[in-house]
Amino acid sequence: QLQASGGGLVQAGDSLRVSCAASGRTVSGYVMGWFRQAPGKEREFVAAISRSGRIINYGDSVKGRFTISRVNAKNMVYLQMNNVAPEDTAIYYCAADWRASSMAIITTAREYDYWGQGTQVTVSS
């Protein structure tokens, strides 16, 4: 089970960190990802991190502003969001999928088997 938290209402230019807590199994065997969905739009890839944490990929719209990280010992994954903008407003979902390779990375939503319930991030201008 994945539980996303940390969303809220912030102003443009602010920073915010959303978290994803895993329960029932250790995240160390899973590729982890963040996606977001704004009203009326398709789910968008935000960031993904390999099991080892050494391979990371970001969506073009967040490169240079967002940072994904993981602490396997705590079963936690984080998304640090800096210099947020109104277009970052969305529900943010964390996702997980088991991979044998510690270097595997997944950027497409359909490849993830497990999803959290989402946390709302709203950025005012």
Side-chain angles (χ1 to χ4, degrees):
Q1 183 177 0
L2 302 175
Q3 181 77 31
S5 62
L9 174 63
V10 295
Q11 294 186 333
D14 283 353
S15 295
L16 184 70
R17 189 178 78 165
V18 292
S19 302
C20 177
S23 60
R25 63 189 75 206
T26 176
V27 298
S28 61
Y30 292 78
V31 174
M32 303 297 296
W34 285 98
F35 291 78
R36 67 186 183 186
Q37 189 164 19
K41 295 187 177 181
E42 293 186 353
R43 191 164 294 192
E44 177 189 12
F45 169 71
V46 176
I49 186 167
S50 66
R51 286 175 44 192
S52 65
R54 288 183 286 176
I55 305 298
I56 291 175
N57 201 319
Y58 295 101
D60 288 342
S61 60
V62 306
K63 282 180 181 176
R65 299 187 300 123
F66 291 10
T67 302
I68 188 172
S69 61
R70 63 190 297 160
V71 180
N72 287 340
K74 295 184 176 181
N75 267 0
M76 295 292 296
V77 180
Y78 305 99
L79 183 69
Q80 178 67 42
M81 307 163 61
N82 295 331
N83 192 25
V84 296
E87 50 266 35
D88 294 319
T89 295
I91 299 174
Y92 283 72
Y93 298 91
C94 61
D97 197 75
W98 187 87
R99 284 291 189 270
S101 170
S102 64
M103 305 297 280
I105 197 81
I106 305 172
T107 61
T108 53
R110 64 178 181 272
E111 293 190 63
Y112 284 93
D113 283 340
Y114 303 99
W115 291 83
Q117 87 293 353
T119 185
Q120 175 72 49
V121 173
T122 303
V123 183
S124 63
S125 58

